[in-house]
Amino acid sequence: MADPSWPGEELITAAQRGDVDAITALVSGSHPNVRRFARSLCATPEDAEDAAQEALIILYRKIGMLRASGALASWMFRIVRNECLRRARTPRADAPLPEGTVESAEDMALDRMEAGRVAAAVAALPAEQRAVLILRDVQGLSGRTVAELCGLSTAAMKSRLHRARGAVRQTLRAAPEPARGDSP
């Protein structure tokens, strides 16, 4: 069963063949999911918007490279994740401070690093755990829907989700966390 929030397989196939109308519809139909991915992975709303736009541009330009039409969601997640990681590593001098907040450049860099650590931990999961985690926790689909999409029983889906969350937690605990200074 296909995820109804993503464009259908026929549209993806037509886009892969170079149908300009299909490519346009595919990019438009993918936009909400790509934005949701970016918002959950990037450190700032500005980075999320930029990463989402870049991912959609890549989708538009390289849809023909997608091997299987059913892999669109995981392909787009990887693109967004890579964009968010790239933006987290690249210091931005023009990044505005959140309104009412006086945050040091060091704190902002640490926030970006933390988002990058989470994205890397999710990306390191086995594909079946990553899919369940993304569908349930990133896309916010119901447990029953995730189980159906993955061809699993609800109990098996819950088990994979539990293992995925635990693996992400363990990865984040094992990796050295950037220390925040408590300077006055």
Side-chain angles (χ1 to χ4, degrees):
M1 177 177 175
D3 182 347
S5 67
W6 283 91
E9 190 169 331
E10 293 160 5
L11 183 64
I12 296 169
T13 303
Q16 287 175 309
R17 287 192 309 261
D19 180 334
V20 176
D21 292 334
I23 293 171
T24 303
L26 179 63
V27 170
S28 296
S30 299
H31 187 249
N33 293 312
V34 170
R35 282 181 83 189
R36 190 171 31 257
F37 284 164
R39 286 181 180 159
S40 67
L41 295 174
C42 289
T44 67
E46 294 81 13
D47 283 348
E49 284 301 315
D50 291 346
Q53 288 301 315
E54 187 63 31
L56 291 170
I57 290 168
I58 291 170
L59 171 62
Y60 184 82
R61 290 182 180 160
K62 298 186 177 186
I63 184 62
M65 296 178 68
L66 181 64
R67 287 186 216 116
S69 58
L72 178 65
S74 61
W75 187 54
M76 293 308 300
F77 180 79
R78 281 192 310 275
I79 292 170
V80 170
R81 178 201 55 151
N82 290 342
E83 267 306 300
C84 290
L85 287 172
R86 186 181 68 76
R87 291 177 186 288
R89 287 188 292 254
T90 305
R92 286 184 36 197
D94 64 332
L97 289 174
E99 195 171 315
T101 303
V102 178
E103 188 172 19
S104 71
E106 178 185 15
D107 286 341
M108 289 173 60
L110 290 171
D111 287 345
R112 286 191 187 117
M113 288 172 58
E114 181 64 19
R117 289 177 64 233
V118 172
V122 170
L125 291 171
E128 64 276 354
Q129 288 181 13
R130 184 174 55 245
V132 169
L133 182 77
I134 290 169
L135 291 170
R136 183 74 177 104
D137 291 349
V138 176
Q139 291 189 0
L141 299 178
S142 70
R144 177 176 289 156
T145 301
V146 172
E148 289 174 5
L149 289 171
C150 294
L152 300 169
S153 67
T154 303
M157 184 282 304
K158 286 180 178 181
S159 177
R160 281 190 187 174
L161 181 61
H162 178 73
R163 285 193 306 269
R165 287 173 175 165
V168 168
R169 242 187 326 271
Q170 183 176 355
T171 299
L172 293 176
R173 285 185 188 140
E177 188 173 332
R180 292 187 184 262
D182 291 328
S183 58

